[in-house]
Amino acid sequence: HVQLAVSGGGLVRAGWSLCLACAASGSIFSINVMGWYRQAPGKQRELVAAITSGGGTNYADFVKGRFTISRGGAKNTVYLQMNSLKPEDTAVYYCNYRRGNSYYSPGDSWGQGTQVTVSS
């Protein structure tokens, strides 16, 4: 079982930046993928970005060039640096952990959602 502690989120203006952080603890496997998903009102949850334990990354087209996912810190921590935020980025953002190497579907471990609201 893996626990995910999430920090970040908030209300910002369009064009501003925000950084989310997710710290994993528990039974963490060496080979894993951590990612960020988001869900806007009335929409399905969608992948934003993911990163493997080897450092490989995968981004949704709508955030390429604006968002950066990375690993770092003393703990198993993943960050999502969000730049040039747009109103359409408004959503609840979720951290996810998956054992293995797959970018394309989430694992069963989810962090608490954090609201990101971008105003114009």
Side-chain angles (χ1 to χ4, degrees):
H1 183 68
V2 173
Q3 297 81 45
L4 302 172
V6 179
S7 62
L11 173 62
V12 299
R13 295 175 181 172
W16 288 17
S17 297
L18 199 61
C19 186
L20 308 180
C22 176
S25 61
S27 300
I28 302 170
F29 284 78
S30 296
I31 301 174
N32 64 76
V33 177
M34 295 186 69
W36 292 94
Y37 290 72
R38 71 185 188 186
Q39 187 168 18
K43 297 182 65 178
Q44 294 292 312
R45 190 171 299 183
E46 62 185 351
L47 175 70
V48 177
I51 184 168
T52 69
S53 48
T57 58
N58 185 40
Y59 294 94
D61 287 342
F62 52 82
V63 301
K64 288 181 178 177
R66 299 189 298 124
F67 292 8
T68 302
I69 189 169
S70 62
R71 290 177 181 262
K75 300 180 179 179
N76 293 284
T77 305
V78 64
Y79 302 92
L80 184 67
Q81 178 65 48
M82 302 183 290
N83 298 324
S84 301
L85 283 162
K86 304 175 181 179
E88 52 262 43
D89 294 319
T90 296
V92 177
Y93 285 69
Y94 299 89
C95 181
N96 179 264
Y97 166 90
R98 178 187 177 94
R99 177 184 177 183
N101 296 298
S102 178
Y103 290 124
Y104 305 111
S105 60
D108 292 333
S109 296
W110 293 94
Q112 183 178 13
T114 184
Q115 178 70 46
V116 172
T117 302
V118 184
S119 65
S120 60

